[in-house]
Each structure stands twice: as C-alpha cells, then as structure tokens.
Amino acid sequence: MFSSFEFIFKIVFFCLSIAWIGNILLLNSERQILINPLLMLIAALIIVIPSDAKEVFGFEVDSVKTFLYGFYCVVIMVGLPLTKGKKGKLRKRL
C-alpha cells in the first residue's frame, strides 16, 4: 500500500522543495539557518533508509518513511510563512 502512496509523497516532496528553494533565493531570513539543516537531515534519512529492509529502529520502514515525508511537509508549510518579511528576522536579545 505504501508503494502506491510513495509516488505521491515524492511529488509533494519535490514541489515543496522547489518552493523552499525559491523562498531561500528571494527572501533571506535568519530563521532559514534553523530550518535548512533540519530539512537536509530529513531528506538524507529518506534517501539512506533502505527500501528492501523490513524494520528500522524497531518500526516498519513504510511507517518511518511516511512519518519523515509528513514531517518534511509540516516543516516547510510552517517555515514558509515564518520566513516572510520582517517577521522572519530573529530578535536581538539584550
């Protein structure tokens, strides 16, 4: 069942990645420094997890990949509005 949804996950993953790249190029924000490493880590984990394995960290591979795809989408959907305009700048603490 996961294999039928994996293609859809990959398309959404690709589209959101393109949107995030556009956000990086057009709007330079300090919050991107916090979000970019997290997105790179999630993408690396999705790539490294072998598809022929049955379990990873005691969980099914399909469940782990579904969670990582979903978490990636949530991070970008929350990150896009946070990095727009002046609100994307972190406040300096005194």
Side-chain angles (χ1 to χ4, degrees):
M1 175 140 167
F2 176 74
S3 60
S4 61
F5 287 115
E6 187 173 18
F7 182 71
I8 296 169
F9 287 146
K10 287 181 180 182
I11 291 174
V12 172
F13 182 85
F14 180 74
C15 293
L16 288 175
S17 297
I18 296 296
W20 186 253
I21 290 169
N23 186 28
I24 290 171
L25 293 174
L26 297 175
L27 304 170
N28 192 6
S29 172
E30 294 176 6
R31 291 189 184 191
Q32 290 172 348
I33 295 171
L34 303 172
I35 297 172
N36 286 341
L38 180 63
L39 294 177
M40 285 187 264
L41 175 68
I42 295 169
L45 287 174
I46 290 172
I47 291 170
V48 170
I49 293 175
S51 57
D52 59 346
K54 292 186 179 182
E55 289 188 355
V56 174
F57 304 118
F59 298 103
E60 292 182 16
V61 173
D62 297 343
S63 300
V64 172
K65 282 190 173 185
T66 302
F67 172 77
L68 289 173
Y69 278 120
F71 190 61
Y72 187 88
C73 294
V74 168
V75 169
I76 290 183
M77 298 302 280
V78 170
L80 284 174
L82 285 178
T83 57
K84 294 202 179 200
K86 293 181 180 178
K87 292 181 181 178
K89 304 279 186 201
L90 294 175
R91 293 183 184 179
K92 293 182 181 178
R93 294 187 179 187
L94 298 174

